[in-house]
């Protein structure tokens, strides 16, 4: 993956070189991971000679919903941030697919520290950075995962529905364990022992020929990709997916499994705890959903072109 350092950054309304993209150590974002953010992708369209940002409105809307929970007040409007993204893409002259993050962060809380939250006590800022992020191997061959021994954070303490940077301490513990043990990623169970999600993506299985996904209330992010896949499944197969709690044993009995998210797109999972998923090959429904999703994000499916925001042609 290309280093973020090779690309310019949008920081508080300015395009700066990556070595100038610095935030003081006294900010709450540096001290306590106090921020909310979005991970987005923009796809290069050779035919239209433009970068198309996938689900831009949905991402910015979710960011503002998260800020509301955290009582953060962005100095930038939704439109400012959307324009910021376009400016960042333009400044880097991207003509290839990129993955990028849009953060709103809490600044210096002064002597109030963690207690500061009112706009007169603490200000917010924003930044955008990213790079190309290809993952062809995972998309084609699939990944091997483990069930983590760490449990998922919960809505009554550190709500997973809010995409806050600090939530990823939980993901970090799980991915360290998984990678140390030779796996690509981990499935995290919630406090009730039911499946929540991966460290940075949602989980779905196919069982008895039906696509199943845990409800968001099981400790997942309200994933934009998840919602889109559930919709695509129903359109393609003419029957609704099953949104239901999933037990650990169902992971081992599943015919197919996939990981979905903006970064992972639709990545097949071929084993869990070294037990093959189905026959250990990429499943038929997974492959179909992957094709449908990639057709949607790349503008090959007319039903989804409205969800792609052009960058250069505006
Ligand atoms: C923990 C977690 N779950 C799920 C997702 C997928 O969400 P989305 O489809 O909105 O990218 C992400 C992606 O950022 C994530 O970090």
């Amino acid at each position: 993956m290309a280093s973020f350092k090779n690309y310019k950054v949008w920081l508080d309304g300015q395009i700066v070189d990556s070595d100038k993209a610095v935030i003081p150590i006294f900010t709450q974002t540096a001290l306590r991971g106090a921020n909310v953010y979005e991970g987005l992708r923009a796809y290069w369209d050779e035919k239209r000679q433009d970068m198309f940002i996938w689900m831009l409105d949905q991402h910015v809307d979710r960011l503002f919903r998260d800020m509301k929970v955290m009582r953060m007040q962005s100095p930038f409007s939704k439109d400012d941030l959307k324009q910021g993204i376009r400016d960042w893409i333009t400044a880097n002259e991207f003509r290839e697919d990129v993955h990028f993050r849009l953060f709103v962060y809490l600044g210096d809380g002064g002597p109030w520290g963690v207690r500061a939250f009112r706009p007169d006590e603490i200000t917010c800022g924003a930044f955008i950075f990213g790079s190309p992020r290809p993952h062809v191997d995972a998309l084609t061959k699939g990944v091997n995962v483990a069930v983590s021994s760490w449990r998922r954070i919960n809505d009554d303490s550190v709500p997973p529905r809010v995409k806050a940077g600090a939530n990823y301490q939980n993901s970090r513990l799980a991915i360290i364990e998984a990678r140390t043990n030779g796996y690509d990623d981990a499935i995290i169970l919630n406090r009730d022992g039911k499946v929540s999600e991966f460290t940075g993506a949602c989980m779905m299985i196919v069982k008895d020929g039906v696509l199943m996904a845990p409800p968001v209330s099981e400790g997942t992010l309200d994933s934009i990709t998840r919602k889109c896949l559930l919709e695509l499944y129903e359109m393609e197969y003419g029957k609704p997916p099953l949104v239901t709690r999933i037990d650990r044993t169902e992971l081992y009995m599943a015919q197919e499994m996939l990981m979905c998210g903006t970064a992972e797109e639709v990545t097949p999972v071929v084993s869990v705890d070294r037990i093959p998923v189905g026959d250990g090959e990429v499943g038929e429904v997974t492959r179909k959903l992957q094709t449908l999703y990639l057709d949607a994000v790349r503008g090959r499916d007319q039903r989804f072109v409205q969800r792609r925001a052009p960058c250069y042609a505006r």
Side-chain angles (χ1 to χ4, degrees):
M1 200 194 302
S3 167
F4 299 133
K5 290 186 190 147
N6 300 341
Y7 302 96
K8 293 183 189 303
V9 172
W10 183 97
L11 175 62
D12 292 329
Q14 306 292 323
I15 298 287
V16 294
D17 288 335
S18 58
D19 59 342
K20 302 278 175 340
V22 288
I23 292 178
I25 59 167
F26 306 112
T27 53
Q28 288 301 303
T29 191
L31 292 171
R32 297 188 170 97
N35 55 60
V36 293
Y37 78 99
E38 286 297 312
L40 299 93
R41 272 189 188 271
Y43 294 89
W44 171 244
D45 189 325
E46 186 65 33
K47 201 165 92 193
R48 296 171 187 84
Q49 291 288 299
D50 207 342
M51 297 290 290
F52 283 88
I53 307 152
W54 176 244
M55 298 282 204
L56 176 61
D57 290 347
Q58 291 82 348
H59 279 285
V60 174
D61 286 351
R62 185 170 67 186
L63 184 76
F64 275 72
R65 286 202 301 271
D66 290 351
M67 276 193 278
K68 194 170 176 191
V69 179
M70 299 308 297
R71 299 181 191 229
M72 292 167 75
Q73 286 192 8
S74 169
F76 301 101
S77 68
K78 288 184 180 181
D79 283 344
D80 292 339
L81 293 177
K82 289 177 196 175
Q83 187 55 45
I85 290 171
R86 290 193 169 94
D87 291 347
W88 173 76
I89 290 174
T90 306
N92 283 294
E93 300 177 24
F94 285 122
R95 291 171 68 86
E96 62 186 312
D97 302 345
V98 287
H99 178 265
F100 58 96
R101 298 188 178 98
L102 160 63
F103 274 78
V104 176
Y105 66 91
L106 279 176
D108 185 349
W112 300 283
V114 77
R115 294 177 195 89
F117 67 95
R118 292 198 316 261
D120 56 320
E121 294 171 337
I122 188 165
T123 53
C124 291
F127 56 88
I128 302 161
F129 71 98
S131 69
R133 187 173 172 174
H135 60 134
V136 182
D137 258 19
L139 283 181
T140 48
K141 294 185 203 143
V143 293
N144 300 286
V145 306
V147 175
S148 182
S149 69
W150 294 98
R151 289 296 168 107
R152 190 74 177 125
I153 47 177
N154 205 57
D155 193 68
D156 60 10
S157 52
V158 182
R161 202 185 259 108
V162 174
K163 195 169 167 62
N167 292 12
Y168 289 80
Q169 297 300 338
N170 182 227
S171 297
R172 180 175 296 283
L173 289 168
I175 196 85
I176 289 171
E177 180 187 52
R179 292 272 166 90
T180 304
N181 293 331
Y183 299 97
D184 296 310
D185 207 331
I187 294 170
I188 315 178
L189 305 180
N190 64 21
R191 211 154 56 180
D192 297 336
K194 307 292 176 188
V195 172
S196 64
E197 59 182 342
F198 291 103
T199 58
C202 283
M203 209 262 347
M204 294 184 185
I205 58 173
V206 176
K207 196 182 151 210
D208 300 328
V210 178
L211 185 72
M212 289 168 65
V216 173
S217 53
E218 291 303 292
T220 78
L221 183 69
D222 195 354
S223 155
I224 291 166
T225 318
R226 172 187 175 279
K227 209 174 281 175
C228 180
L229 282 198
L230 295 177
E231 198 182 339
L232 282 170
Y233 176 82
E234 186 150 7
M235 283 175 174
E236 180 65 19
Y237 293 93
K239 58 182 178 187
L242 205 53
V243 175
T244 181
R245 298 184 105 184
I246 296 178
D247 283 324
R248 180 172 184 165
T249 47
E250 291 181 285
L251 300 175
Y252 306 127
M253 295 174 180
Q255 294 159 324
E256 298 185 31
M257 184 182 297
L258 63 84
M259 180 185 276
C260 67
T262 303
E264 279 68 20
E265 298 172 310
V266 181
T267 296
V269 178
V270 291
S271 78
V272 184
D273 290 336
R274 311 237 184 270
I275 299 176
V277 176
D279 58 7
E281 300 294 324
V282 176
E284 211 177 289
V285 178
T286 303
R287 192 58 85 206
K288 184 83 215 168
L289 288 174
Q290 187 187 70
T291 304
L292 290 169
Y293 181 75
L294 294 176
D295 283 350
V297 299
R298 293 191 177 283
R300 295 189 288 254
D301 185 335
Q302 288 311 304
R303 295 172 298 182
F304 292 89
V305 287
Q306 294 306 326
R307 301 189 199 182
R308 304 169 82 232
C311 176
Y312 296 136
R314 269 174 60 98

